[in-house]
Amino acid sequence: MAHQSCVVSHPPPYAPLRHHQSQHHNRNNNNNNNINNLVQFKYPTLLLPRTHHHNASASASNLFAFPRRRRPNISLNALDSDAPDSHHQGSVNFGRNESYQQWDSLTAKFSGAANIPFLLLQMPQIILNARNLAAGNNTALMAVPWLGMLTSLLGNLSLLSYFAKKREQGAMVVQTLGVVSTFVVLAQLALAEAMPLPYFSATSVVVVSGLFLNFMNYFGLLNAGIFRLWEDFITIGGLSVLPQIMWSTFVPYIPNSILPGAISFVIAVLAVTMARSGKLSEQGVKFVGGISGWTATLLFMWMPVSQMWTNYLNPENMKGLSAISMLLAMIGNGLMLPRALLIRDLMWFTGSAWATLFYGYGNIACLYLSNIISKEFFLAATAGLVSWIGMAFWRDSVVHGYSSPLTSISHLVSGS
């Protein structure tokens, strides 16, 4: 994933020695100093004491020692995320100036604050369903598409695993909230018999297992082999569901078929099996590892495409869209943009930017063009969105010392 440059107060180990150093230092002391600098640059929390010649061998052995709690990265990672101890995670403040540290803390708070609009986005549906259930009006719940809700839940679970591995607590809470709120809606649909009970039972097992495994893994209490099985499951599930959802969007203009999902399922099983058995190259294993996170992102990215296609086919149905709901969706996804940009997470940034621009703002634009919302509402949403995105890129360029915000985009795409 994304990587950021690390600014340190001393030269890297390959830099030449300062000219003004005293020339009477012996070669052994210079070697020890270089070893210390090397360790400080790569592992900021590991500082070797300066030693004399007879301790040089012990220092050299410490140089190649692995931290006890780190796992070797030799297994298939179904999410292809950066390790939590990468230089832009956990120790992100090492060697950074005060301005960077403040922005790092602030973007994490923005990401956590996204829970508020997302919670407000789902609560009206939950309350309305509860009222209909209490009134015995189960037919009203038939209007809620349980298959679409199930797809959204699978996407939330996949991204929860992704952000748990990256130790992004704010994004983890957002995805957990998405899983729980969507599951509550599915439970209401099951009570109203709008969702088949066998499907709901299977979904319940997946949800409970997913939440348990992700949080056990986050706190380091889960066996790595068990979590790899979960990663394989969401990789196969995500790759199977995405093409089927995309195909179903354009029915009846294309034949109704389960063939896309079936073919994708077979391909996903073969890919995971080959990667697990070592029959793929290193690049192939890395590609398979990125499938789960990207399919989850693409599932969410497809939602605005599906909505706009529906708007195009049935413009009169746009009167049923809530402008406030679209505004909340725009705000919630927009709040996560600065964090994704700061840590150079292209997948996170792509998904959040797409949802902000095309799902939230795109539907607001459709409502305005259909004369459903006022010009003032549309202009206020436009001004707020442009200002927020501009501020995020400007601030990112400032804390990194770039001369132009466009440099942040270049580094985001290149992963540097």
Side-chain angles (χ1 to χ4, degrees):
M1 298 297 295
H3 295 281
Q4 300 177 22
S5 58
C6 187
V7 180
V8 292
S9 58
H10 52 75
Y14 51 82
L17 296 176
R18 298 180 185 271
H19 180 71
H20 67 268
Q21 282 183 312
S22 300
Q23 310 226 344
H24 64 274
H25 285 181
N26 58 51
R27 187 179 304 272
N28 290 333
N29 284 338
N30 282 338
N31 288 339
N32 289 335
N33 291 340
N34 288 341
I35 290 175
N36 281 335
N37 286 339
L38 174 62
V39 176
Q40 292 177 28
F41 180 76
K42 191 169 185 180
Y43 303 107
T45 58
L46 177 62
L47 302 178
L48 295 181
R50 299 187 181 273
T51 60
H52 297 292
H53 178 72
H54 64 276
N55 287 332
S57 60
S59 298
S61 64
N62 288 336
L63 174 62
F64 298 100
F66 289 97
R68 183 172 298 179
R69 292 179 61 86
R70 289 184 63 181
R71 299 174 181 172
N73 188 22
I74 59 177
S75 58
L76 172 64
N77 174 11
L79 296 170
D80 192 33
S81 62
D82 289 333
D85 56 344
S86 61
H87 61 271
H88 61 69
Q89 295 292 332
S91 298
V92 69
N93 293 337
F94 171 69
R96 299 290 188 180
N97 55 37
E98 184 178 355
S99 177
Y100 183 97
Q101 296 178 24
Q102 291 175 350
W103 185 237
D104 174 57
S105 175
L106 198 56
T107 56
K109 293 177 181 178
F110 288 152
S111 180
N115 286 289
I116 298 175
F118 284 133
L119 180 62
L120 295 175
L121 190 63
Q122 193 70 281
M123 284 304 296
Q125 185 67 59
I126 295 175
I127 295 173
L128 179 61
N129 290 346
R131 288 177 177 174
N132 285 324
L133 284 173
N137 186 17
N138 293 353
T139 306
L141 276 74
M142 298 291 182
V144 182
W146 68 267
L147 185 58
M149 302 295 294
L150 184 61
T151 302
S152 176
L153 187 145
L154 179 60
N156 285 127
L157 277 176
S158 297
L159 291 178
L160 174 60
S161 298
Y162 176 79
F163 289 120
K165 292 179 74 69
K166 292 179 72 68
R167 299 297 191 266
E168 284 292 336
Q169 296 182 3
M172 279 182 63
V173 175
V174 170
Q175 301 305 324
T176 302
L177 180 62
V179 171
V180 174
S181 59
T182 304
F183 181 73
V184 170
V185 174
L186 290 177
Q188 293 174 325
L189 296 180
L191 290 173
E193 299 181 351
M195 179 181 183
L197 186 58
Y199 286 97
F200 176 73
S201 300
T203 300
S204 301
V205 173
V206 172
V207 169
V208 173
S209 301
L211 292 176
F212 176 77
L213 292 174
N214 275 297
F215 281 94
M216 289 288 286
N217 183 67
Y218 177 79
F219 292 108
L221 302 176
L222 186 67
N223 179 273
I226 296 177
F227 193 72
R228 282 197 297 271
L229 291 176
W230 166 254
E231 290 179 320
D232 291 344
F233 170 77
I234 58 177
T235 297
I236 295 172
L239 188 58
S240 302
V241 169
L242 176 62
Q244 187 63 49
I245 293 297
M246 296 173 71
W247 180 275
S248 300
T249 299
F250 301 106
V251 174
Y253 294 93
I254 57 177
N256 189 8
S257 173
I258 63 169
L259 193 60
I263 294 176
S264 300
F265 173 79
V266 173
I267 294 175
V269 171
L270 288 176
V272 170
T273 302
M274 292 176 67
R276 183 72 68 200
S277 60
K279 294 182 179 180
L280 294 180
S281 64
E282 182 179 351
Q283 289 297 324
V285 172
K286 185 177 181 180
F287 175 79
V288 173
I291 289 177
S292 178
W294 275 106
T295 50
T297 300
L298 291 172
L299 280 171
F300 287 111
M301 290 175 66
W302 190 254
M303 291 174 63
V305 176
S306 178
Q307 181 65 59
M308 289 186 178
W309 175 251
T310 302
N311 295 345
Y312 172 75
L313 295 178
N314 303 293
E316 66 279 1
N317 288 349
M318 283 192 293
K319 295 180 180 180
L321 282 180
S322 168
I324 298 300
S325 295
M326 295 301 104
L327 181 64
L328 289 171
M330 186 184 78
I331 294 173
N333 286 285
L335 282 171
M336 294 189 288
L337 286 176
R339 184 64 181 175
L341 178 62
L342 179 69
I343 68 172
R344 299 298 185 259
D345 191 321
L346 180 60
M347 189 195 77
W348 187 8
F349 184 87
T350 301
S352 296
W354 185 276
T356 301
L357 295 173
F358 292 98
Y359 185 66
Y361 182 74
N363 280 300
I364 289 176
C366 289
L367 291 172
Y368 171 68
L369 294 175
S370 301
N371 296 319
I372 298 176
I373 61 174
S374 65
K375 181 179 180 180
E376 290 75 15
F377 186 98
F378 174 71
L379 291 179
T382 302
L385 178 61
V386 172
S387 300
W388 178 256
I389 294 178
M391 182 278 299
F393 277 98
W394 168 77
R395 188 60 182 165
D396 188 85
S397 65
V398 169
V399 300
H400 284 95
Y402 300 150
S403 59
S404 169
L406 296 178
T407 308
S408 294
I409 301 178
S410 175
H411 283 274
L412 173 67
V413 175
S414 64
S416 60

